[in-house]
Amino acid sequence: MKISARVVCFLLLLCLQRTVLADVDWPVNGGPYNIRYSTLTQVDRANVGKLTVAWTYDSHDAFKDSEMQSNPIVVEGMLYATTPTMQVIALDAATGREIWKFDPSGGSTLRRRFRQRGVTVYEDRVFVTYRNFLLALDRKTGIPIESFGNGGKVDLRDGLGRPPESMTVSATSPGVIFEDMLILGSTVPETLPGSPGHIRAFDAHTGKLRWIFHTIPWPGEFGYDTWPKDAYKISGGANAWSGLTVDPKLGMVFAGTGSASFDFYGSNRIGDNLFANCVLALDARTGKRIWHFQGVRHDTWDLDFPAAPSLVTVTRRGKPVDAVAQITKMGTVYVLDRRTGRPLFPVGRQRAPASHLDGEKLASDQPYPVKPPPFARQAFTEDMVTNRTPEAHAAVLAQLRGLDSKGMYTPEGLRGTVLMPGTDGGAEWGGAAFDPQTRLLYVNSNEQPWIIRMVTHDTTSLYKNNCASCHGDDLKGAPPTFPSLVDIGKRRTREELKTLINEGGGRMPAFDYLEQNVDEIVDFLITGKDTGQVNPESVAKDPNWQKYRNEGYILFRDPDGYPPLTPPWGTLNAIDLDKGEIRWRIPLGEYPELVAQGITNTGSDNYGGPVVTSSGLLFIAATNFDKKFRAFDKLTGQLLWETVLPAAGNATPSIYELNGREYIVIVCGGGKNGAASGSSIVAFALPN
């Protein structure tokens, strides 16, 4: 049978129309392979300047210092995210209309700060974590699925080999799906007593544990001899808090792990501490270790691998090589062969000085990637001191000369040590974007020094021994990560304070093991009278008791609250992973009040990652104080478009297409380092 040319043309046009109108989802956190890459091309260099707000949603539950960091998941026309108070929402992805909302707190009126980076969607369900629970919700209704776990939830404290009631375990990053399993890392205390950061796989239908990988090895397991013999019973950390990445073709799951607890002093964990500070490659079906690469040995600087690994393909000797790109808080990138873990660029060793603290034994040397070069400064020296004003310069210089600041791996001490890059990076949890077309890796970075000062533990204050490491001896904290407790008795009732201490929240562990001593800490917070004392007999029996603690987390600032060093204070970097070179680097962010004074292009604190597109664009929000959302030319770093958001977009954007229209969506939660908080989600698109 002959088909006329007219019919052929009609059929071709019909196929083309169906291709154009096909929906394109954003199905997993960070996109497939965690490279934050979109193949959509409707928005490009020529028309990006015409982007306009397509819809806005506000959950109206922001409060002082609250945060909202979700990377929205879009599946079959529905968008899923979490709000500042950890409510799970489902929206119509074309209009922003709320379809359902679920409150895992059961309607609690006690506002506590949560940090949550999204949800996992699988078949008919949405997985989310709330405090120590993993929940499964019906994707269409938001109602808990009773057949999952125990009445719709799994207690994440179970199955770790220790009494559940003695541990604090949660998860700020969503899990990943492999076949019919949900694989999950965890968030655990960075102080002591700690909880282990073991990686687990749960049956996605029933919630039953399918496998577990011990990041603090048990007797007989590889790495056990890098810890004291009883560490597996008491040590904590070594957790994949920043999420995981799956290669479904190879059947492998990859993790970047954090430091062991306590972060800044490790006399009770002498050794290299595998598998802390590691890139881990596991068999996704069994949880068995395939390979590992440790980036910091016996970490006492809080140098977690801050983001899940990106699975990239680079060119070597003219051939494609599947690899893993791991960004670091130190402002470096490791590029490792995906199957073997072999570094694709040379890795050197630098000598590291010894600690002067009693009982501490640091590693004598540490690895570093020879290529690519660092994308953040590696030390804070006198020639970098701010010149913003003569007064600021003099004040910062005087303070710097009273501290130890000798670059990476300067040991902590009683005098005070400058961490540069600091505990927030360099690179941070927003992760990197990778462009398969050009093999460029895009990383935003902070250049914000922090101060860690060690003090001697004593038995004269329950508050100082349990709370001051985060909130400071003076109660001022380092907001919002570690909130100020000054006058908290005027903001919280006694019962609210007891609940917060007993249950924890955010990065704060639960202190319910203190029992009646909680009342004495609450008395101190309300009255200022510190009558609570640590029982010397309990100290003698406590394997977690150590001679030193940190005075608090101190973000180094000049007298006016700005970074103490010369700009840039935050950057956006394009790194060629074929050649191991930085292609371009620009400041990212500004302070509006400094712009008004003519001080521009300084860069600023930034949290949340970029997204790159095949049409030549790089989208990123992240900047703390100017609240802007920007689009750059991915090849040159030229700014092509920007807009101001309702609050800082401290999150990673998602890109999707519905009914032939491309959307770029960003969560606007703010709340970092004194920036205003928000609770909105904004989607942008070209005009209809």
Side-chain angles (χ1 to χ4, degrees):
M1 182 180 68
K2 293 184 178 180
I3 301 177
S4 69
R6 181 176 295 180
V7 171
V8 171
C9 290
F10 173 78
L11 291 173
L12 288 172
L13 287 171
L14 182 62
C15 291
L16 178 62
Q17 183 183 42
R18 286 179 174 174
T19 300
V20 170
L21 295 179
D23 294 343
V24 178
D25 294 339
W26 189 267
V28 297
N29 185 62
Y33 297 99
N34 239 323
I35 62 172
R36 299 164 182 82
Y37 173 74
S38 172
T39 59
L40 296 177
T41 58
Q42 186 178 104
V43 182
D44 57 24
R45 293 182 180 96
N47 61 25
V48 67
K50 298 178 182 179
L51 281 178
T52 186
V53 174
W55 56 260
T56 299
Y57 169 85
D58 195 333
S59 59
H60 299 291
D61 59 345
F63 55 95
K64 181 176 172 56
D65 292 339
S66 68
E67 300 177 32
M68 188 166 66
Q69 300 175 347
S70 282
N71 177 219
I73 301 302
V74 181
V75 177
E76 296 179 353
M78 296 276 282
L79 181 148
Y80 303 90
T82 54
T83 77
T85 55
M86 267 304 298
Q87 298 182 74
V88 186
I89 54 173
L91 310 179
D92 182 323
T95 65
R97 178 176 62 89
E98 183 181 295
I99 305 299
W100 56 256
K101 179 187 290 186
F102 173 76
D103 183 358
S105 75
S108 171
T109 58
L110 176 59
R111 288 195 164 190
R112 68 186 84 201
R113 192 169 56 85
F114 289 103
R115 185 167 289 154
Q116 176 57 256
R117 289 163 193 146
V119 302
T120 305
V121 175
Y122 171 69
E123 293 184 351
D124 64 341
R125 56 199 62 197
V126 176
F127 294 105
V128 68
T129 56
Y130 175 74
R131 295 183 55 215
N132 55 291
F133 293 110
L134 168 65
L135 298 93
L137 311 177
D138 184 280
R139 188 156 70 87
K140 293 183 178 180
T141 66
I143 297 173
I145 297 173
E146 294 290 323
S147 59
F148 180 80
N150 183 10
K153 59 188 178 182
V154 170
D155 192 330
L156 294 175
R157 299 174 301 176
D158 291 337
L160 295 175
R162 302 182 194 177
E165 64 277 5
S166 69
M167 292 185 295
T168 299
V169 183
S170 60
T172 52
S173 298
V176 294
I177 297 293
F178 177 74
E179 295 180 348
D180 61 345
M181 291 182 287
L182 175 74
I183 308 175
L184 191 66
S186 63
T187 301
V188 296
E190 298 182 0
T191 55
L192 295 173
S195 303
H198 303 328
I199 299 170
R200 290 176 282 179
F202 299 93
D203 188 298
H205 298 287
T206 67
K208 292 183 178 179
L209 184 66
R210 297 274 287 272
W211 57 254
I212 184 169
F213 177 82
H214 297 134
T215 60
I216 301 175
W218 287 19
E221 295 178 339
F222 186 94
Y224 172 73
D225 59 352
T226 66
W227 297 78
K229 66 182 182 67
D230 289 331
Y232 75 101
K233 298 178 181 178
I234 59 173
S235 290
N239 53 316
W241 61 265
S242 59
L244 306 164
T245 310
V246 164
D247 185 331
K249 294 179 181 178
L250 294 180
M252 297 171 69
V253 61
F254 299 85
T257 61
S259 59
S261 304
F262 160 59
D263 277 350
F264 302 110
Y265 179 67
S267 68
N268 69 338
R269 54 178 175 88
I270 297 301
D272 284 352
N273 304 146
L274 290 176
F275 294 94
N277 305 89
C278 283
V279 181
L280 270 172
L282 307 178
D283 184 314
R285 292 184 176 87
T286 65
K288 302 295 185 182
R289 182 186 68 93
I290 298 174
W291 58 259
H292 76 276
F293 174 86
Q294 188 170 39
V296 186
R297 301 164 58 205
H298 191 77
D299 181 10
T300 63
W301 303 272
D302 192 21
L303 295 176
D304 306 341
F305 279 139
S310 298
L311 305 188
V312 303
T313 300
V314 298
T315 302
R316 289 292 183 277
R317 299 180 182 89
K319 296 181 180 180
V321 176
D322 291 336
V324 174
Q326 178 66 64
I327 58 177
T328 76
K329 282 188 180 181
M330 297 88 86
T332 57
V333 184
Y334 286 103
V335 186
L336 311 170
D337 184 283
R338 197 180 305 177
R339 291 171 173 81
T340 67
R342 179 180 61 85
L344 298 184
F345 293 110
V347 172
R349 291 276 177 176
Q350 65 182 87
R351 291 199 59 78
S355 174
H356 297 296
L357 296 178
D358 293 343
E360 182 61 276
K361 186 177 181 180
L362 301 177
S364 59
D365 59 70
Q366 297 286 357
Y368 71 94
V370 175
K371 296 177 72 173
F375 52 81
R377 286 173 280 188
Q378 302 290 285
F380 182 24
T381 55
E382 291 190 9
D383 61 317
M384 298 178 190
V385 169
T386 179
N387 291 311
R388 190 180 56 80
T389 67
E391 294 78 12
H393 179 86
V396 170
L397 184 61
Q399 187 175 3
L400 181 61
R401 287 175 173 172
L403 299 166
D404 292 327
S405 185
K406 299 177 182 178
M408 197 67 63
Y409 307 119
T410 301
E412 291 86 350
L414 303 178
R415 187 168 182 250
T417 302
V418 176
L419 303 186
M420 176 70 187
T423 59
D424 276 3
E428 35 72 34
W429 55 263
F434 177 73
D435 180 16
Q437 297 173 327
T438 63
R439 275 84 65 200
L440 292 180
L441 186 80
Y442 300 92
V443 188
N444 52 306
S445 174
N446 290 314
E447 300 216 4
Q448 310 282 333
W450 289 69
I451 300 170
I452 296 296
R453 182 178 291 109
M454 306 303 289
V455 295
T456 303
H457 251 133
D458 57 46
T459 59
T460 62
S461 170
L462 282 169
Y463 168 81
K464 288 182 179 179
N465 280 287
N466 292 282
C467 312
S469 287
C470 295
H471 299 286
D473 290 10
D474 57 5
L475 284 73
K476 292 182 179 179
T481 304
F482 304 102
S484 170
L485 302 181
V486 175
D487 293 330
I488 194 171
K490 298 178 181 179
R491 306 189 301 273
R492 301 280 194 179
T493 67
R494 176 177 291 273
E495 287 305 312
E496 286 177 335
L497 289 173
K498 288 181 64 175
T499 299
L500 285 170
I501 294 171
N502 280 321
E503 297 182 356
R507 292 175 67 174
M508 176 180 168
F511 286 91
D512 53 347
Y513 61 88
L514 291 175
E515 299 177 346
Q516 70 271 17
N517 291 334
V518 168
D519 288 308
E520 294 178 304
I521 293 176
V522 171
D523 286 340
F524 167 68
L525 294 175
I526 293 175
T527 68
K529 297 178 181 179
D530 194 357
T531 58
Q533 293 190 356
V534 181
N535 185 338
E537 293 182 4
S538 66
V539 168
K541 299 177 182 178
D542 186 355
N544 286 304
W545 181 266
Q546 297 195 96
K547 185 174 182 179
Y548 302 101
R549 63 173 175 84
N550 60 310
E551 188 179 36
Y553 288 76
I554 306 168
L555 180 57
F556 200 163
R557 294 296 202 192
D558 75 12
D560 300 313
Y562 297 106
L565 69 171
T566 52
W569 300 328
T571 63
L572 181 62
N573 307 268
I575 303 169
D576 187 325
L577 292 190
D578 284 349
K579 299 179 180 179
E581 300 172 354
I582 295 179
R583 178 75 62 85
W584 53 258
R585 184 172 186 256
I586 58 174
L588 180 64
E590 295 178 317
Y591 288 76
E593 67 275 17
L594 294 184
V595 172
Q597 301 171 28
I599 304 175
T600 61
N601 294 318
T602 58
S604 75
D605 310 21
N606 56 90
Y607 302 91
V611 171
V612 65
T613 76
S614 62
S615 60
L617 301 174
L618 183 79
F619 288 97
I620 188 168
T623 53
N624 239 21
F625 302 108
D626 60 23
K627 302 187 295 187
K628 289 185 177 180
F629 191 23
R630 297 173 169 92
F632 297 93
D633 186 308
K634 71 179 183 182
L635 295 181
T636 66
Q638 178 187 356
L639 179 65
L640 301 177
W641 171 82
E642 66 180 11
T643 189
V644 178
L645 300 171
N650 296 149
T652 299
S654 302
I655 300 179
Y656 60 95
E657 187 170 279
L658 282 178
N659 302 319
R661 194 180 192 196
E662 181 180 336
Y663 297 83
I664 302 97
V665 64
I666 183 71
V667 167
C668 312
K672 287 286 291 183
N673 297 348
S677 296
S679 54
S680 60
I681 302 174
V682 183
F684 296 88
L686 296 175
N688 279 318

